[in-house]
Amino acid sequence: MPHKDDNTFNILFFGDVSGDAGCRALRFMLDKLKRTYNADMVIVNGENSDKGYGISSESLSMLKQCPIDVITLGNHAFEKDGADRDIENDPMILRPENFIDVPGRGYSVYEINGVKVGCGNIHLRSGINGVVDCPFKTADRIVKNLSKITPIIFIDAHGEDGCEKEALFMYLKGRISALCGTHTHVQTADEKIASGTAYITDVGMCGASLSVIGGDINSSIRKAKECMPVHIEAVQGKAVVMGVCVSVDIQSGKSTNIERIYMHETE
């Protein structure tokens, strides 16, 4: 378990919440996980929380029943009707900062127990449809603005390509507390710390364990086998919760530990 003292701030970060199964699992497991990891703050990527695509007022309401402080998003951010209003008006929601001319904010500062934490959301380019501003220039802007307020800076890098994520990590190491990847729903085992910056290529997902990355099995097989443009919705069932716990030195903003979390709903 991560170390905890007066100068340590522990952040739990959970990967893409996939449908009702992921929302339900967090609702019933998050309190225990916060105690287990001595967590001060919880960040969750909620961009697949409504049936696997986007965030809605309904899925946002489910997530708000959990002790979550920040919700990050990704390529499906604006997919649901009305999402633009929630993203614009709810300060706990961050959409990727490098989206062009859309509502909402891509970074902000949150104060938890007297500690200010800067959080940012960046959309990467490789392997995902959509036109976004340069992730590297966007990261520079986020770091420049947040570092004026706090040394603790956490960034969700939402993207398909591990090479691009790791390149961004190497570009930012020593300047932020953590860069954690989302989007693929598959947890990687490459967590590390360099120059005080914690990194993992993908934290995984929160969704049905017996699924294809949270989605319906038969539809996923058909899409892969027949190359059909099949719509795949998130499925119900016992869930798995994937994420990380990052421990940060409050004074310096340097990470001292990163630990993967992979827990089934029955545990």
Side-chain angles (χ1 to χ4, degrees):
M1 291 301 103
H3 173 71
K4 179 65 176 173
D5 59 28
D6 291 342
N7 201 45
T8 300
F9 192 88
N10 289 332
I11 301 170
L12 290 180
F13 179 52
F14 296 99
D16 305 45
V17 179
S18 188
D20 290 350
C23 292
R24 182 196 66 243
L26 284 176
R27 181 182 176 188
F28 289 104
M29 297 173 67
L30 199 44
D31 280 323
K32 179 181 178 181
L33 285 165
K34 281 194 71 175
R35 293 193 301 271
T36 299
Y37 288 90
N38 296 307
D40 299 285
M41 184 178 192
V42 178
I43 306 170
V44 171
N45 185 294
E47 77 126 9
N48 299 124
S49 56
D50 189 284
K51 301 178 178 64
Y53 297 89
I55 190 168
S56 65
S57 294
E58 291 75 19
S59 66
L60 176 59
S61 178
M62 292 177 70
L63 290 175
K64 283 192 166 186
Q65 295 176 41
C66 309
I68 295 170
D69 300 293
V70 181
I71 298 172
T72 55
L73 299 173
N75 53 302
H76 294 299
F78 292 95
E79 195 149 327
K80 292 294 190 287
D81 290 340
D84 55 338
R85 293 190 297 273
D86 288 325
I87 292 170
E88 174 70 26
N89 296 322
D90 197 321
M92 76 182 294
I93 301 176
L94 298 178
R95 48 78 176 157
E97 169 65 14
N98 51 335
F99 277 3
I100 301 170
D101 295 329
V102 297
R105 64 210 60 78
Y107 62 94
S108 190
V109 175
Y110 302 87
E111 187 165 341
I112 311 291
N113 299 326
V115 177
K116 292 181 179 179
V117 180
C119 296
N121 194 186
I122 297 176
H123 193 291
L124 302 183
R125 283 173 162 167
S126 301
I128 309 180
N129 294 330
V131 178
V132 296
D133 283 338
C134 173
F136 292 81
K137 292 180 180 178
T138 300
D140 282 335
R141 181 171 68 253
I142 290 174
V143 173
K144 178 181 178 181
N145 292 329
L146 291 180
S147 61
K148 296 174 183 177
I149 304 170
T150 176
I152 304 175
I153 300 174
F154 184 101
I155 292 179
D156 173 356
H158 194 79
E160 184 78 26
D161 185 11
C163 180
E164 188 180 15
K165 291 178 185 177
E166 196 155 39
L168 184 60
F169 160 63
M170 290 298 178
Y171 182 72
L172 291 174
K173 68 181 176 66
R175 294 196 280 157
I176 65 173
S177 305
L179 179 79
C180 295
T182 56
H183 178 68
T184 72
H185 295 209
V186 178
Q187 189 180 76
T188 56
D190 60 339
E191 70 275 16
K192 57 193 168 191
I193 296 175
S195 302
T197 301
Y199 172 78
I200 186 170
T201 297
D202 206 292
V203 298
M205 71 160 187
C206 299
S209 178
L210 194 60
S211 68
V212 176
I213 61 170
D216 178 73
I217 294 172
N218 291 330
S219 298
S220 299
I221 291 173
R222 186 184 177 208
K223 182 176 182 179
K225 182 180 178 183
E226 301 176 14
C227 297
M228 295 292 290
V230 178
H231 180 76
I232 302 170
E233 289 198 354
V235 294
Q236 291 284 9
K238 290 291 184 180
V240 63
V241 168
M242 305 181 203
V244 291
C245 179
V246 178
S247 300
V248 183
D249 180 90
I250 292 173
Q251 300 303 318
S252 68
K254 303 292 187 183
S255 286
T256 57
N257 189 62
I258 179 170
E259 182 176 336
R260 277 182 289 127
I261 300 169
Y262 190 108
M263 185 174 291
H264 288 275
E265 193 173 6
T266 53
E267 295 179 11

